[in-house]
Amino acid sequence: MFALIYDEHDLVQPKKKVVSVHRKRETAEAALEKRKKELGKSVYDCNTRIVWIKGTVKPGDYVKPGQYSHWRPGETVPHGDIYSDTD
């Protein structure tokens, strides 16, 4: 399942709170767009991102690295997201 997680990129706090869960990436993307508009911020500034979680979670749960990934296995990854922008 896809989920929106709240991620402040704080290495001291590796657990991330699940904001919402979705069956499809498209609905997760729509939820992220709605959250951006509600907060009036960019994706980076609202500290929210879409992840793939194998298993069952619900909003309010916490997940840690290793429980989620950026892309669902077998999902087509857009070319620009394969390589880092930094050297």
Side-chain angles (χ1 to χ4, degrees):
M1 83 177 50
F2 292 96
L4 294 184
I5 59 171
Y6 185 75
D7 185 3
E8 292 181 303
H9 308 285
D10 182 1
L11 299 177
V12 176
Q13 178 62 325
K15 291 185 178 180
K16 311 300 178 195
K17 187 174 184 177
V18 176
V19 176
S20 62
V21 294
H22 309 272
R23 291 178 190 242
K24 298 179 181 179
R25 179 172 289 277
E26 293 80 16
T27 56
E29 289 172 355
L32 181 57
E33 287 299 317
K34 181 180 176 183
R35 182 170 170 81
K36 282 175 27 183
K37 285 181 183 178
E38 288 173 354
L39 297 174
K41 298 181 178 182
S42 68
V43 171
Y44 186 79
D45 292 334
C46 69
N47 296 318
T48 308
R49 61 186 172 126
I50 299 170
V51 295
W52 168 256
I53 299 176
K54 186 176 180 180
T56 304
V57 295
K58 60 185 181 302
D61 287 351
Y62 286 85
V63 293
K64 58 186 177 183
Q67 290 182 289
Y68 59 87
S69 61
H70 297 289
W71 302 98
R72 179 182 68 190
E75 187 175 17
T76 303
V77 179
H79 180 69
D81 289 345
I82 295 174
Y83 304 104
S84 172
D85 291 338
T86 61
D87 290 329

